[in-house]
Structures are given as structure tokens and as C-alpha cells.
Amino acid sequence: MNHCDAFDYWGKGTKVTVGAKPPSYIYPLHQCGSGDSRGDISLGCIASGFSPLDALSFKWNDGNGNALRDLHQYSPVMVSGSTMMVSHITVKAADWNSKKSYRCAAHHQTLGPGKSETLQKPDQPCRLYLDVTLKPPRVREMFIDNRAVLECIISGEDKAVREAEVTWMLDSVQVTDKITQIGTEKADQLFRKSSILTTNNWEGGKTVKCSVQQKGGPTITKTLSFGQKGTTKPTVSIQTPSPEDLDRKSEFFLLCLVTGFYPEEIYIMWQVNGGKYEEGITGELWKTGDQYSVTSLFKVSKVDWDNGNMYNCSARHASEKEAQIPSHPVSKLTGNSMECP
């Protein structure tokens, strides 16, 4: 006996796609903080594991069942072999803060309504995460003032940034002086503040740590090493272009070659006629065995070169605690410099 009535399970005239699957899960998202400048809060839903790829759409309702029309729905994508789709809406922060609820539902074009999730402001505030960046010393200050200026930048939500506390450590010893605090300011959609440490004691294996304690969250620590015990002094030399390039071009680059140093932290500057230090274009480090090398370029006009200007390249490295390591100066008369170990 044949049972054709089994096909009526989907209803007469319903098209069934072979391999159609509803989402395996739907995950609610809500914005931390008090909202944007317009007083709005973003809510979202992520659905995953459905098929086919173009089968899903989202529907949003408020707590009274009223449909919300101002929703955003993004194109589905494949992530690690699974389908994924995102939708979000914007609601008034005042409504969200008053504990109004919202429902996000995934609707399959073949299988109909599927999983849904309700979003409502939690009783416990969500953790506001921070981003911390420790900027290395500025080259010019290292050369001219023999001091390292390090900036620890904290960015994130306003409240989290304001409540974050910064601690500086130099070789595992807490530093409490020569620290400048820059107050919270808005940068794009986030807030930021800085703590700046100035130290004259940076050579010879120093390690600096900036630790940021989040209120109710983990401590974020960033580390920068100025050098380690056991250093190798670099050799510094300047290479000039070929005579043909010097004759044909109105401007060209001198090349400073700094080789054979350890550790890798190094700072390179240029001088013209013994004047103020100027920055060149420093390239990427490369390593040969246990030692590093790097190049720096400095643009020179043919007029200045023909006038006999003298050019010098100097390196500052942990192997020398007090002085720069200079090259022999070059000019039109001297040609390429010899290596200065």
C-alpha cells in the first residue's frame, strides 16, 4: 500500500529544497556602554549552520510583538566551512536602559520560522575591554637629549578608559617619578588617555613594562626591551650612488649600512655639516646568525652635493651607553666612507 499523504506534512503547494537546514544556533549581541552620540544602542544577532546559503532572513520585534522595520541584514558568508549571517538594529538607549526587550528570529525561506533570541539589558554591566599600546622611544630624543620617552596609550569605552590605572616597571622595579598623565579625550568613536614615562637610564639590558589595570577586569601588560646583556656593537658606513647616477640625477639617496649588532633595538640619525640630527628612511631589519643589520636612506640634492656638504650617519645602540656610533663622513671629495666599528 502506498502512502502519498506523507507529503502533506509541509502543506499543499510547499516547495521543499533538498538539504535545507535551519540555523544550528543564533547568538544575540548587544553594545556595551551608554550609547552613541545620538543616544542609540546597537543590538545584533548571528545565525550559523543553515543551508542553503541564501535561505535565511531575520525578523525583529519589540517586547509587545510589534515588528521593527529599521533593521540591517548583511549578506551570508562561509566561515570555516559553515554558513553565517548577521543582522542588527538600532534602538533608543533610553528604551534599552529601561529594560525593554527585543526579539530576533531567524526565518528560513523553506522551513519557515526557526530559532529566536530575546535581548534585554543585563542586570550586571558587561565588561568594557581596553586596547593598550606601548610606543617605543622617539629617535630624536634618544640622540639629542640622551633620554627615552615612552608613551602607554589606553583606548576604549569612556568609562573603562577613565577608570583604568597605569603602573610602570623598569627591570621589575616600580617607577613612580618622571611620569606624565594625559587626560581622557575622544578619538573617533573611542576614548583614549596616555601615561608617559621619561627615563635617562635605558641602556644595557633594560626592560620597561606598562601595566593597565581594568576595573573589574584583567590587567593588560605591554613590554619593551631596550637591550639585553651580551651586546655586539654595530659597524656603520655610508655608500654613495654610482658616478653615473651622481652626474645624471638632480637628487639621490645616500645609503647608511649598519651591520653586525645585537640586540636588535637601534636608532639611526643623519647630520649635514655637523648640524642638527635629522631622520632618514630606515628599512626593515634582517638577521644573519645571531646578529642584525639595517639600512637608512637620506635624500640629497645634487646642488648640495656639488657644494661639498659633508654627510654623517650615526647609530645609537645598547652596546654604547653614552655615545653614538658614527660613520666616517662622506662628501663629493671623500666618496664612500669606511666602516666605523
Side-chain angles (χ1 to χ4, degrees):
M1 182 172 62
N2 295 325
H3 291 278
C4 298
D5 56 343
F7 290 98
D8 287 340
Y9 174 82
W10 296 102
K12 295 185 183 298
T14 300
K15 180 182 177 181
V16 178
T17 302
V18 176
K21 290 171 51 181
S24 56
Y25 76 85
I26 183 168
Y27 188 78
L29 304 167
H30 66 84
Q31 177 182 339
C32 290
S34 56
D36 60 20
S37 59
R38 298 183 300 274
D40 294 333
I41 288 283
S42 292
L43 308 178
C45 272
I46 299 176
S48 180
F50 55 90
S51 66
L53 185 63
D54 59 352
L56 208 67
S57 61
F58 287 93
K59 294 184 178 180
W60 288 83
N61 296 85
D62 63 17
N64 297 321
N66 300 313
L68 302 176
R69 306 297 181 188
D70 189 21
L71 62 91
H72 301 272
Q73 188 163 283
Y74 299 90
S75 299
V77 294
M78 295 294 296
V79 178
S80 300
S82 179
T83 51
M84 182 173 290
M85 190 172 180
V86 179
S87 176
H88 82 82
I89 60 168
T90 301
V91 301
K92 293 298 181 184
D95 292 338
W96 177 252
N97 292 331
S98 66
K99 305 284 284 188
K100 287 188 177 181
S101 63
Y102 302 88
R103 177 168 287 271
C104 166
H107 189 276
H108 196 284
Q109 67 179 10
T110 301
L111 306 180
K115 294 179 180 291
S116 64
E117 286 287 345
T118 298
L119 292 88
Q120 189 175 42
K121 184 177 181 179
D123 294 328
Q124 295 294 326
C126 58
R127 183 183 298 168
L128 303 178
Y129 289 95
L130 297 173
D131 183 61
V132 178
T133 302
L134 178 55
K135 295 179 67 175
R138 292 184 279 266
V139 175
R140 187 176 297 275
E141 287 156 343
M142 301 282 283
F143 265 84
I144 298 174
D145 301 327
N146 193 32
R147 62 191 176 103
V149 179
L150 301 104
E151 184 177 12
C152 190
I153 303 172
I154 307 160
S155 59
E157 290 280 348
D158 184 18
K159 180 178 174 63
V161 170
R162 292 182 188 278
E163 293 179 343
E165 297 181 354
V166 181
T167 302
W168 287 94
M169 306 288 288
L170 182 61
D171 278 353
S172 302
V173 177
Q174 184 172 348
V175 181
T176 57
D177 60 346
K178 296 184 179 179
I179 297 173
T180 303
Q181 309 291 352
I182 299 178
T184 305
E185 59 183 8
K186 191 168 185 180
D188 296 325
Q189 298 300 314
L190 297 176
F191 289 80
R192 59 178 285 173
K193 70 178 180 182
S194 297
S195 179
I196 299 174
L197 171 66
T198 302
T199 177
N200 297 323
N201 184 21
W202 63 274
E203 306 96 336
K206 299 298 181 184
T207 297
V208 175
K209 291 183 179 180
C210 167
S211 296
V212 178
Q213 176 63 56
Q214 305 179 81
K215 187 173 182 179
T219 299
I220 303 172
T221 300
K222 298 294 181 178
T223 303
L224 181 65
S225 295
F226 289 116
Q228 304 164 7
K229 294 181 179 179
T231 60
T232 304
K233 183 178 176 180
T235 56
V236 184
S237 63
I238 300 177
Q239 306 295 319
T240 61
S242 67
E244 292 78 12
D245 284 342
L246 292 175
D247 289 338
R248 291 198 308 262
K249 296 182 178 180
S250 61
E251 59 182 17
F252 51 86
F253 286 100
L254 298 177
L255 172 70
C256 182
L257 184 60
V258 184
T259 60
F261 55 91
Y262 181 87
E264 63 186 278
E265 292 85 10
I266 197 163
Y267 308 95
I268 301 171
M269 295 288 276
W270 290 79
Q271 286 176 294
V272 181
N273 294 328
K276 66 179 182 179
Y277 284 108
E278 301 180 49
E279 294 185 48
I281 304 171
T282 301
E284 295 289 330
L285 290 167
W286 74 89
K287 189 175 183 182
T288 305
D290 293 330
Q291 297 180 350
Y292 293 88
S293 298
V294 71
T295 60
S296 178
L297 297 172
F298 190 75
K299 184 180 287 188
V300 176
S301 72
K302 189 175 188 304
V303 172
D304 290 340
W305 182 256
D306 289 341
N307 286 338
N309 285 352
M310 192 76 69
Y311 299 89
N312 189 63
C313 171
S314 296
R316 190 69 188 266
H317 188 253
S319 58
E320 291 291 311
K321 292 187 177 182
E322 300 297 335
Q324 295 86 18
I325 305 165
S327 67
H328 287 293
V330 299
S331 67
K332 184 175 182 179
L333 297 177
T334 64
N336 290 341
S337 75
M338 297 180 293
E339 291 185 346
C340 284

